[in-house]
Amino acid sequence: DATTEELTQAKTDLETAIDGLETKAAAELAAAKAALTEEIAKAQTTYDNAETYNDALKNAAEALKTAIDAAQAVADKTDATAAELQQAKADLEAAETLFDNTVTGISAIIAQYGENIQVYTTDGKKVDLKNGTLRKGLYIINGKKTVIK
């Protein structure tokens, strides 16, 4: 049978362990909230600076804004769990990736350089623009290096 001292020590040890778990959970929650808040700011900057000169980019920007709003709603929840915050961040990152990978087509180049466009690969081959799009990569467009994302 346990003595009063042993029971008191066991109770103290258990309370210390619970406090440690609560502190760890609070730290994880704070870290998840901070990470989501940072990602929201990044996504908002991307959205604010987005050039939406074609329908594909307009649609992608609208989807990004919807994801930003959804993530902000989770960040604003006072009872949000770390798992909810982490999922909201992952969903927002997916929307950012979708936006970044949206095919802009030749309209992006025309918007920047006008109708008379000379496009070459980095090894000097002229690029045929008949299909209206360029794959991701590095090109020489009207004498300037340009990255197509």
Side-chain angles (χ1 to χ4, degrees), residues 34-50 64 68 89 92-94 96-97 99-100:
L36 178 58
T37 301
E38 183 179 320
E39 197 63 36
I40 290 169
K42 178 182 159 207
Q44 187 66 50
T45 299
T46 298
Y47 176 79
D48 291 343
N49 295 326
L64 179 59
I68 292 168
K89 181 177 181 278
L92 183 54
E93 288 171 333
E96 289 176 277
T97 298
F99 180 81
D100 290 341

Side-chain angles (χ1 to χ4, degrees), residues 95-110:
E96 289 176 277
T97 298
L98 179 65
F99 180 81
D100 290 341
N101 292 335
T102 299
V103 176
T104 59
I106 196 67
S107 59
I109 298 171
I110 291 173

Side-chain angles (χ1 to χ4, degrees), residues 46-101:
T46 298
Y47 176 79
D48 291 343
N49 295 326
E51 295 182 25
T52 55
Y53 43 75
N54 67 27
D55 289 339
L57 282 173
K58 287 177 189 170
N59 293 338
E62 287 176 23
L64 179 59
K65 181 61 174 157
T66 299
I68 292 168
D69 292 344
Q72 189 63 59
V74 174
D76 291 343
K77 278 179 59 175
T78 56
D79 61 345
T81 65
E84 288 175 312
L85 294 164
Q86 290 163 350
Q87 185 61 54
K89 181 177 181 278
D91 292 346
L92 183 54
E93 288 171 333
E96 289 176 277
T97 298
L98 179 65
F99 180 81
D100 290 341
N101 292 335

